[in-house]
Amino acid sequence: TMFATQVYGDNGKMKEYHYTGPVEHRFSPYSFNGGTVLAVAGEDFAIVASDTRLSEGYSIHSRDSPKCYKLTDTTVIGCSGFHGDCLTLTKIIDARLKMYKHSNNKCMTSGAIAAMLSTILYGRRFFPYYVYNIIGGLDEEGKGAVYSFDPVGSYQRDTYKAGGSASAMLQPLLDNQIGFKNMEGVQHLPLSQEKAVQLVKDVFISAAERDVYTGDALRICIVTKDGIKEETVPLRKD
Amino acid sequence: MALASVLQSESVDFSNYGRQRHGFASGLYEAELGLESVGGDRLSFALSTSCSNGDGPDRKIEFLHGTTTLAFKFQHGVIVAVDSRATAGSYIASQTVKKVIEINPYLLGTMAGGAADCSFWERLLARQCRVYELRNKERISVAAASKLLANMVYQYKGMGLSMGTMVCGWDKTGPGLYYVDSEGNRVCGDLFAVGSGSMYAYGIVDSGLKQKDLTVEEACDLGRRAIYQATYRDAYSGGQVNLYHVHSEGWTRVSQSDVLMLHQQYQAEKA
């Protein structure tokens, strides 16, 4: 079925597979399309990665729908949640970026984009964009920056963040491997780009094992001062 | 309305659509105030009730009901201490949230309730305070700043904003401390603690403040200890303790201490 009704319960998963009696159907403007996004900030790079599966309920709409969107030469945004709102939101951000460029004769910095996105999201405080955003890019000093958001615009700068359906599975692993949490007597080595990319791949492979909404392929965008490089890695298709 | 004019967006057709029923399992923030903000039936849309089936955004918006923030006045100004945990349901969304908002170099605001609500409205307050300064060629008083904030959110009363903040500063009448929330309360006081862990914090601060004339260091230790004890017993508070001191020259960031480190430190002191 193409339109979302109350038959879909918490988190977009179908409430009951078998008919068990009268069910009240209500139109919901939201739908949950799954997907997981991850961003990591390094010393002079940033990585934004997402899976490419687009689902709805028990169906997969597409196996090639990446959730990373390039905003500027130094910023990439990952959006997961309701695909309709993801598309509209990225269109709005692109338009605002253009407006800023025309008025101020310069590109928006990552920090400025983050602050702007916060007010765009809060503008719909009473009918939110059902999107979990994570921005990854380079700040004005060339250092890696990650900004994570909630659906109504609360944001903060992080070193690493996972968002979307498998976020609760990824985040603890990142806390341990990048944040060195709950490890004693371990040397805090700075994260190299190669190690970060390998970690991202491993983490998504694990997520695809246990989250039904994550899988098919992984799209990695690596942001450095030389530009944005994209890499695609296959994941479980089941 | 302030929100629409600032963002220059057309007023939303579904402006009352996303109104949430505050049926949070913890229900702690609302409970403390003895209030229940139910959506109400202002809308002719029957759609408003479909939010309650646990649609993603309504459930997953980060609400800082689980939090502990406190502020108290003492001889040398105001101490502000907060934890740094944000939860989305039972998932810990972040352990590094900045719950103290630096409105300007002599005014601080704390965050409890909806993270986005607090940071947005306090950022707007910062803008209004700056405009006041430019118009009147003098700093805004804590009373006036807190009133601006209270009046701004009062327009949205009943629409589902969740904000419990303490406006702390130093003006020409001395140290100032006001509690302002999205229900419309605005109270002046010497001591406030807000959030799910507030009761634990009150216990520590009330007993520590009995002896008058605290030094700055003693007051800082008291604030830090109160938040630590609250994080110890309240599952929804944790992370780090951020401590600020507001004095006649403005505010100073005193310390940021990880709760786990504090735990080891206090255990060692006991021995």
Side-chain angles (χ1 to χ4, degrees), chain B residues 251-267:
Chain B
W251 55 259
T252 320
R253 180 117 184 260
V254 174
S255 66
Q256 179 187 63
S257 339
D258 190 293
V259 159
L260 292 168
M261 297 296 152
L262 282 178
H263 179 76
Q264 282 158 13
Q265 181 195 317
Y266 292 134
Q267 290 293 92

Side-chain angles (χ1 to χ4, degrees), chain B residues 102-108 244-247 249-253:
Chain B
E102 296 154 10
I103 296 168
N104 61 39
Y106 54 92
L107 271 182
L108 291 175
Y244 286 72
H245 173 218
V246 187
H247 45 80
E249 314 299 309
W251 55 259
T252 320
R253 180 117 184 260

Side-chain angles (χ1 to χ4, degrees), chain B residues 150-173:
Chain B
N151 290 152
M152 278 195 274
V153 296
Y154 186 71
Q155 294 183 297
Y156 293 87
K157 185 172 161 70
M159 291 173 76
L161 289 186
S162 174
M163 186 194 79
T165 182
M166 293 177 288
V167 181
C168 326
W170 188 293
D171 55 30
K172 51 184 194 246
T173 60

Side-chain angles (χ1 to χ4, degrees), chain A residues 3-233:
Chain A
F3 66 93
T5 65
Q6 190 146 333
V7 177
Y8 291 102
D10 297 338
N11 214 14
K13 301 178 183 124
M14 292 214 346
K15 255 191 194 147
E16 281 133 14
Y17 192 70
H18 302 289
Y19 180 71
T20 51
V23 181
E24 187 182 351
H25 289 257
R26 271 260 159 81
F27 171 72
S28 166
Y30 295 117
S31 163
F32 181 66
N33 296 114
T36 308
V37 184
L38 161 57
V40 179
E43 184 58 41
D44 58 350
F45 66 92
I47 297 175
V48 181
S50 76
D51 72 325
T52 60
R53 174 175 287 181
L54 191 74
S55 350
E56 187 171 345
Y58 283 84
S59 315
I60 295 177
H61 286 315
S62 167
R63 294 195 193 274
D64 185 21
S65 171
K67 289 146 196 78
C68 315
Y69 300 89
K70 180 183 159 212
L71 296 180
T72 67
D73 286 332
T74 52
T75 321
V76 175
I77 189 170
C79 310
S80 69
F82 169 43
H83 191 63
D85 276 346
C86 294
L87 290 175
T88 305
L89 188 61
T90 47
K91 281 197 184 114
I92 289 176
I93 298 172
D94 283 334
R96 292 286 296 266
L97 283 174
K98 256 192 207 154
M99 284 159 57
Y100 183 98
K101 188 129 188 249
H102 289 141
S103 314
N104 301 94
N105 207 21
K106 69 172 196 167
C107 277
M108 282 189 91
T109 59
S110 294
I113 297 175
M116 178 184 75
L117 179 56
S118 175
T119 49
I120 293 174
L121 292 170
Y122 200 81
R124 290 268 298 256
R125 170 63 175 81
F126 301 113
F127 183 13
Y129 289 108
Y130 181 359
V131 188
Y132 294 93
N133 295 289
I134 307 185
I135 290 178
L138 301 175
D139 67 9
E140 279 145 306
E141 294 167 23
K143 296 207 173 94
V146 165
Y147 297 92
S148 60
F149 294 77
D150 82 341
V152 279
S154 159
Y155 80 107
Q156 60 171 61
R157 185 168 172 179
D158 291 308
T159 319
Y160 54 88
K161 189 78 181 188
S165 60
S167 59
M169 287 183 211
L170 301 185
Q171 190 69 32
L173 187 49
L174 298 174
D175 283 334
N176 180 263
Q177 292 295 307
I178 305 180
F180 302 105
K181 300 277 169 72
N182 299 304
M183 292 219 283
E184 285 188 38
V186 179
Q187 210 187 358
H188 287 14
L189 294 161
L191 194 65
S192 70
Q193 191 176 316
E194 293 72 32
K195 200 147 172 276
V197 173
Q198 192 49 52
L199 185 62
V200 167
K201 289 178 185 168
D202 288 339
V203 140
F204 265 92
I205 287 167
S206 306
E209 289 288 316
R210 291 290 182 173
D211 178 34
V212 301
Y213 293 107
T214 304
D216 294 330
L218 165 65
R219 176 71 63 88
I220 307 181
C221 300
I222 305 165
V223 186
T224 53
K225 62 173 173 17
D226 303 320
I228 300 178
K229 203 163 55 100
E230 282 185 22
E231 217 182 296
T232 309
V233 168

